[in-house]
Amino acid sequence: MAWVGRDLKDHRAPTPRWLLLCLLSPASCEAKNLPTYPGPNKMRDCYCTVNLDQEEVFRTKIVEKSLCPFYGEDFYCEIPRTFRHLSFYIFDRDVFRRDSIIGKVAIQKEDLQKYHNRDTWFQLQHVDADSEVQGKVHLELRLSEVITDTGVVCHKLATRVLECQGLPIVNGQCDPYATVTLAGPSRSEAKKTKVKKKTNNPHFDEVFYFEVTRPSSYNKKSQFDIEDVDEVDKMEIRVDLWNASNLKFGDEFLGELRLPLKFLRQSSSYEAWYFLQPRDNGNKSLKPDDLGSLRLNVVYTEDHVFSSDYYSPLRDLLLKSADVEPVSASAAHILGEVCREKQEAAIPLVRLFLHYGRIVPFISAIASAEVKRTQDPNTIFRGNSLTSKCIDETMKLAGMHYLQVTLKPIIDEICQVHKPCEIDPVKLKDGENLENNRENLRQYVDRIFTVITKSGVSCPTVMCDIFFSLRESAAKRFQGDPDVRYTAVSSFIFLRFFAPAILSPNLFQLTPHHPDPQTSRTLTLISKTIQTLGSLSKSKSANFKESYMATFYDYFNEQKYADAVKNFLDLISSSGRRDHKSIEQPILLKEGFMIKRAQGRKRFGMKNFKKRWFRLTNHEFTYQKSKGDHPLCSIPIENILAVERLEEESFKMKNMFQVIQPERRVLYIQANNCVEAKDWIDILTKVSQCNKKRLTVYHPSAYLNGHWLCCKATADNTPGCTPCTGGLPANIQLDIDGDRETERIYSLFNLYMPKLEKMQEACGSKSVYDGPEEEEYSTFIIDDPKETYKTLKLIIEGVGTLEQEHAQYKRDKFKKTKYGSQEHPIGDKSFQTYIRQQSEISAHSI
């Protein structure tokens, strides 16, 4: 999720949060012109991975037998660590199920904004071991003059390799070592560190000495030729990082660093961090055109978030929006007016109001105002208004588990069984029977319709309270239309919630990947029918443009279907109608393969690591050998006392976390990547947050060899040495970073400041001239010019104050930051760009 570390020493230092949405484009993403397979078939079975540096965080499905594969998948995550490159690799799986890399697209972090929210074709680049580099190295160099016994001066270089961080893991392991080479026009001398086992953050702390210049008294039989001091300028120190491999192909190259010695003339001692670089071995890669291209749409945002008190004025102004009369004069409504797309405003607003428990009164207020402006009951909530977008976003956040328990079992069956359901006579395949297909489709529609209309008791409370408000507002506004209280609710729950989830289950986390073409067609036909059944329109056959759909819908022209829809809508739009505790069916929250270490439940059992299928519901956390097997271990949710990260030093393994249980029993688990580890920690913490016996302290390292590695305590029941992290509150209304959402809203107000000022002008114009409004002001909804003007003034003042705080922080950071530090190693192009920008700003201000 978000980058949650905060600098407690400096309360005003903003914390960076990175949000990534990679659209391997639902509408258009594809690879094209991939090189042919060197065989008779020439086609390839390809998939694409998304990587932070070289850590894979997402993988698409395999598209078989194609040189222009279409993926149509999207990946969303909040990035939990720093990174330099966002990379996309295209792999080919051959008949022996071996994966080979065809090519890659690598986008530097500082270049992501160039491609933000734009469909872009990227040429695939050649991949070899010498170019796949990540990580940084900490070096100290010292050039000293040494006077010999005879009084002759010579120069010696001391090179200290202290440590490395973030080296790549190769074939599941990393046993790194470094070679240090002093190279000149006529000499080369190399030395090597010890191998550090099972770590990608090795601490070497080894010093190597080199003679740079020799005393002139050396004779020709000396080991080295005499070199002039001027030759130093032509010499360099090279540090290469390697992974000690047991394979016959030799050790793998991890990265290198080349430093000319002439820079030591200004300072005889130099210590700094450096980014490792690819090796320039003179090999010419293939032309990019030979490898094909990949179409991507990358949405990337980076926010720098201050501590909560900095946002108080703007946040308080936003949160009282539901109480402002009229609501069009509120800060939240104004944000919707100035944003280019209503969705831009809806996402942070909904998350902020959910966090503070104000979402129902806010949506009730803006929905009531929209209903009053609606003239025809048949068009109620049909536009892309702020109300519609806010309700859509609320259903996505609050209704995800509801969809899982309602639709996922049937969707999984449809994706696995592949029953033919095509009912368009033109599209029938050879051997298919139209009547059989109709019956297959009818059964699927019937089952999904039944499970939806019987799921009212599972509908989240926040959604039901919103639907109750919509129903009351619509019924009050259109008292002569008895059906409007149903259509106001069905336009959201069926048209904008269930129907889209059936149509694109991967976008609602019901399936991991975009369905295959046949399944996608089946889901499209089901979605159309369910949408029409839920609409309660009087002439339903007329809703279909296709005659075959109208014919198929005749199966459902019975009153029992309309009655079932109305009963369902009555239930989910009634206030205070049921108790959540009455829901007995367990809800599947997350599942997947991870690696676990044995808990030591057996007295003489081995504490080894094994791959297991983990499954989390709102009742228990279990693991088994494979999906569908009987659980080997079950941990009730009430027995989860803490869920925390585990330091890498414990087992020399990355992305590990621990689930702490009663009697100090700990389950150690390794996730597949950093994003997945964060997801598991977040959701496990959330479901166990209300447990009465939750711990306040824990051990960040493991208990091994008779002591805790973190605090060295010898008793295994010693209380923890580190405070537990705050985690995520169990209530979805608090499962959000309110400060970050306020920062996003500030950024939007700042971006659309010209529109805010234009809206101020419109308020002044309407207040003074009570006549026809000017055309340029007609796009704004201004019901009360004076109240709106007051709110606009407060918004502009609050945004200006925050803008000054950000500017001051950047100036302070510019003064304090050291190039070559651990945070900003030499070779960081984004930091160099930042330095140049700040220098220009400083010069301009002077």
Side-chain angles (χ1 to χ4, degrees):
M1 201 180 156
W3 179 271
V4 296
R6 289 182 182 269
D7 185 352
L8 300 180
K9 296 178 183 177
D10 181 3
H11 71 281
R12 66 179 304 281
T15 306
R17 321 288 173 92
W18 301 293
L19 183 65
L20 175 68
L21 173 60
C22 296
L23 300 175
L24 294 165
S25 143
S28 58
C29 180
E30 58 188 315
K32 69 177 182 181
N33 301 330
L34 299 181
T36 58
Y37 184 76
N41 187 24
K42 299 187 181 302
M43 295 291 105
R44 292 182 181 271
D45 299 340
C46 297
Y47 64 90
C48 180
T49 67
V50 182
N51 295 55
L52 293 175
D53 297 320
Q54 290 184 46
E55 182 181 12
E56 181 183 320
V57 295
F58 177 73
R59 178 181 295 198
T60 70
K61 64 180 179 181
I62 297 175
V63 177
E64 298 180 344
K65 299 178 182 178
S66 175
L67 298 179
C68 298
F70 174 84
Y71 295 106
E73 300 197 35
D74 70 316
F75 168 67
Y76 168 95
C77 79
E78 295 205 22
I79 302 172
R81 64 170 178 84
T82 58
F83 68 102
R84 293 178 67 196
H85 293 89
L86 176 66
S87 302
F88 303 84
Y89 291 81
I90 298 291
F91 286 85
D92 176 36
R93 175 163 290 184
D94 64 17
V95 291
F96 302 106
R97 300 186 68 80
R98 294 176 303 193
D99 298 338
S100 58
I101 299 177
I102 297 175
K104 74 171 181 179
V105 171
I107 309 173
Q108 291 185 345
K109 178 186 170 185
E110 55 269 23
D111 292 334
L112 284 171
Q113 285 300 328
K114 290 184 195 175
Y115 310 108
H116 178 74
N117 204 17
R118 288 169 44 199
D119 269 1
T120 307
W121 281 102
F122 295 89
Q123 294 291 338
L124 289 173
Q125 303 295 321
H126 186 61
V127 177
D128 59 35
D130 292 338
S131 66
E132 294 293 279
V133 169
Q134 72 177 53
K136 53 191 176 183
V137 60
H138 188 192
L139 291 183
E140 182 180 356
L141 302 175
R142 187 181 300 274
L143 186 63
S144 307
E145 290 186 349
V146 179
I147 302 176
T148 67
D149 295 338
T150 59
V152 179
V153 177
C154 65
H155 293 81
K156 289 193 175 183
L157 174 68
T159 303
R160 183 183 181 194
V161 184
L162 289 102
E163 60 179 311
C164 294
Q165 286 190 353
L167 298 179
I169 295 175
V170 182
N171 297 322
Q173 58 101 31
C174 188
D175 298 335
Y177 68 90
T179 60
V180 183
T181 305
L182 180 66
S186 58
R187 61 179 286 194
S188 179
E189 182 183 1
K191 299 183 180 182
K192 174 183 170 183
T193 69
K194 296 177 181 177
V195 176
K196 299 295 181 179
K197 294 285 188 179
K198 296 182 179 179
T199 177
N200 66 336
N201 297 315
H203 290 262
F204 297 110
D205 201 7
E206 297 187 39
V207 183
F208 303 100
Y209 296 95
F210 300 92
E211 292 189 38
V212 178
T213 61
R214 313 291 183 261
S216 57
S217 59
Y218 279 12
N219 57 39
K220 291 185 179 180
K221 294 181 181 179
S222 174
Q223 185 177 357
F224 301 105
D225 293 333
I226 300 170
E227 297 180 9
D228 296 328
V229 176
D230 290 341
E231 289 291 310
V232 174
D233 288 351
K234 300 178 183 178
M235 300 176 71
E236 68 176 10
I237 194 78
R238 190 178 77 241
V239 179
D240 296 271
L241 271 296
W242 299 85
N243 178 44
S245 173
N246 295 322
L247 301 176
K248 61 181 180 180
F249 303 109
D251 297 345
E252 292 100 350
F253 174 77
L254 300 181
E256 73 170 14
L257 176 67
R258 293 173 179 260
L259 296 173
L261 291 193
K262 60 184 178 181
F263 81 95
L264 287 174
R265 283 195 167 192
Q266 298 177 354
S267 174
S268 60
S269 178
Y270 197 81
E271 178 185 349
W273 284 84
Y274 301 85
F275 275 125
L276 293 171
Q277 303 298 329
R279 180 165 57 187
D280 182 11
N281 57 8
N283 291 338
K284 293 184 179 180
S285 63
L286 297 175
K287 293 181 181 180
D289 291 342
D290 294 341
L291 299 177
S293 52
L294 180 67
R295 191 175 188 178
L296 301 169
N297 187 331
V298 179
V299 178
Y300 172 79
T301 60
E302 179 176 330
D303 295 320
H304 292 265
V305 184
F306 285 107
S307 56
S308 188
D309 53 307
Y310 284 82
Y311 299 104
S312 293
L314 182 59
R315 182 177 59 241
D316 294 344
L317 187 65
L318 289 161
L319 291 177
K320 69 178 185 181
S321 294
D323 303 322
V324 174
E325 287 288 345
V327 72
S328 61
S330 67
H333 194 277
I334 288 172
L335 180 65
E337 289 297 293
V338 297
C339 284
R340 185 166 57 90
E341 301 288 344
K342 302 295 185 187
Q343 186 77 1
E344 278 185 295
I347 292 173
L349 284 176
V350 165
R351 296 174 71 86
L352 180 71
F353 283 111
L354 272 173
H355 180 70
Y356 288 100
R358 297 285 295 161
I359 190 65
V360 175
F362 171 65
I363 288 182
S364 298
I366 60 174
S368 177
E370 181 174 333
V371 168
K372 289 176 182 177
R373 291 191 295 268
T374 303
Q375 302 302 317
D376 184 355
N378 294 318
T379 62
I380 193 167
F381 300 127
R382 291 299 172 95
N384 289 322
S385 62
L386 181 63
T387 304
S388 298
K389 293 298 181 184
C390 283
I391 297 176
D392 288 350
E393 190 63 25
T394 303
M395 291 191 299
K396 284 181 184 177
L397 289 171
M400 200 60 71
H401 295 161
Y402 179 36
L403 284 176
Q404 292 276 334
V405 72
T406 307
L407 294 182
K408 185 171 173 55
I410 302 179
I411 297 293
D412 285 344
E413 180 184 329
I414 293 170
C415 293
Q416 292 166 8
V417 176
H418 293 290
K419 282 185 179 179
C421 295
E422 181 56 69
I423 58 174
D424 183 353
V426 177
K427 295 181 180 180
L428 279 182
K429 295 179 181 178
D430 292 341
E432 288 186 352
N433 182 281
L434 183 60
E435 288 304 317
N436 288 343
N437 288 9
R438 280 178 179 161
E439 179 59 22
N440 290 338
L441 184 62
R442 187 196 65 77
Q443 289 180 8
Y444 278 144
V445 170
D446 231 358
R447 288 174 60 191
I448 288 181
F449 177 81
T450 301
V451 79
I452 288 175
T453 53
K454 291 186 178 298
S455 69
V457 71
S458 303
C459 187
T461 302
V462 67
M463 289 171 58
C464 295
D465 291 342
I466 290 171
F467 295 150
F468 173 74
S469 175
L470 299 182
R471 170 179 173 154
E472 294 299 300
S473 296
K476 184 177 180 181
R477 173 73 174 86
F478 301 103
Q479 297 181 11
D481 189 335
D483 290 330
V484 73
R485 59 187 181 137
Y486 296 115
T487 55
V489 178
S490 67
S491 63
F492 286 103
I493 194 68
F494 281 101
L495 186 66
R496 295 173 177 264
F497 187 63
F498 283 121
I502 296 167
L503 183 65
S504 303
N506 56 307
L507 298 183
F508 291 81
Q509 300 177 20
L510 295 175
T511 59
H513 301 296
H514 188 73
D516 61 77
Q518 179 184 328
T519 304
S520 184
R521 173 64 176 166
T522 298
L523 294 174
T524 300
L525 296 172
I526 295 171
S527 179
K528 282 184 176 182
T529 312
I530 292 294
Q531 182 176 316
T532 306
L533 278 168
S535 67
L536 292 172
S537 58
K538 295 179 175 58
S539 56
K540 296 185 177 180
S541 297
N543 289 344
F544 298 108
K545 298 177 183 177
E546 308 92 343
S547 58
Y548 61 84
M549 283 300 299
T551 302
F552 173 70
Y553 196 81
D554 287 340
Y555 286 119
F556 305 98
N557 267 329
E558 297 181 35
Q559 186 59 36
K560 67 176 183 179
Y561 290 102
D563 292 342
V565 170
K566 288 184 177 181
N567 290 337
F568 169 67
L569 296 176
D570 279 333
L571 180 60
I572 65 171
S573 59
S574 301
S575 183
R577 77 249 168 276
R578 80 259 189 279
D579 180 7
H580 269 292
K581 293 181 181 179
S582 65
I583 304 173
E584 295 297 333
Q585 185 176 3
I587 300 172
L588 177 64
L589 303 178
K590 190 172 177 63
E591 61 181 347
F593 275 114
M594 292 191 289
I595 295 173
K596 66 93 186 177
R597 181 177 185 262
Q599 302 178 72
R601 290 176 292 143
K602 297 178 181 178
R603 187 173 180 181
F604 300 106
M606 292 181 62
K607 293 186 178 180
N608 53 359
F609 289 89
K610 291 183 178 179
K611 188 175 183 180
R612 292 289 183 257
W613 181 265
F614 284 82
R615 194 170 187 271
L616 174 66
T617 71
N618 57 333
H619 291 178
E620 61 183 356
F621 182 46
T622 63
Y623 63 79
Q624 50 251 38
K625 282 189 176 181
S626 300
K627 184 176 182 179
D629 289 351
H630 184 74
L632 298 173
C633 175
S634 174
I635 304 173
I637 295 301
E638 57 268 24
N639 284 354
I640 298 178
L641 307 184
V643 184
E644 299 288 346
R645 290 190 178 276
L646 185 71
E647 291 181 353
E648 183 182 336
E649 288 73 19
S650 298
F651 301 107
K652 308 297 183 184
M653 297 168 69
K654 296 185 69 175
N655 304 318
M656 290 201 70
F657 62 95
Q658 50 185 317
V659 179
I660 305 172
Q661 306 159 61
E663 301 178 2
R664 302 291 173 182
R665 181 178 294 164
V666 183
L667 175 61
Y668 297 120
I669 303 172
Q670 183 189 34
N672 294 318
N673 56 62
C674 62
V675 172
E676 188 175 301
K678 188 72 171 67
D679 287 346
W680 275 106
I681 292 171
D682 284 348
I683 196 164
L684 281 164
T685 302
K686 178 182 173 182
V687 297
S688 63
Q689 191 74 33
C690 293
N691 290 349
K692 296 179 180 179
K693 296 183 180 180
R694 277 190 65 86
L695 299 179
T696 56
V697 291
Y698 77 106
H699 290 285
S701 293
Y703 183 81
L704 296 173
N705 302 322
H707 68 277
W708 292 100
L709 299 182
C710 43
C711 60
K712 309 305 179 187
T714 55
D716 62 355
N717 60 353
T718 302
C721 58
T722 302
C724 288
T725 54
L728 299 173
N731 192 322
I732 188 172
Q733 296 170 329
L734 301 176
D735 188 7
I736 290 163
D737 187 338
D739 296 337
R740 176 177 183 160
E741 303 311 325
T742 312
E743 170 66 25
R744 290 299 304 148
I745 292 170
Y746 148 75
S747 299
L748 289 171
F749 274 135
N750 201 27
L751 176 65
Y752 292 108
M753 183 58 69
K755 281 195 173 183
L756 288 173
E757 294 168 348
K758 185 70 69 177
M759 198 170 183
Q760 267 192 321
E761 293 177 15
C763 289
S765 175
K766 293 189 74 169
S767 297
V768 175
Y769 305 104
D770 190 17
E773 61 181 353
E774 298 182 29
E775 185 177 349
E776 61 177 327
Y777 301 147
S778 61
T779 56
F780 301 124
I781 295 176
I782 302 175
D783 296 320
D784 188 327
K786 291 183 179 180
E787 285 299 320
T788 306
Y789 187 90
K790 289 179 185 178
T791 305
L792 283 164
K793 185 179 178 182
L794 292 172
I795 292 171
I796 293 171
E797 287 175 357
V799 170
T801 301
L802 281 171
E803 189 175 11
Q804 290 175 8
E805 292 291 348
H806 278 284
Q808 183 60 48
Y809 170 75
K810 288 179 181 177
R811 288 192 291 269
D812 294 344
K813 180 182 177 183
F814 178 67
K815 293 175 184 177
K816 296 176 183 178
T817 303
K818 178 186 175 185
Y819 191 41
S821 64
Q822 186 174 356
E823 294 77 18
H824 300 286
I826 293 172
D828 186 349
K829 293 182 180 179
S830 62
F831 182 69
Q832 289 176 304
T833 303
Y834 169 75
I835 289 287
R836 184 169 60 253
Q837 291 172 346
Q838 293 303 310
S839 300
E840 292 170 357
I841 292 170
S842 299
H844 179 71
S845 62
I846 291 171

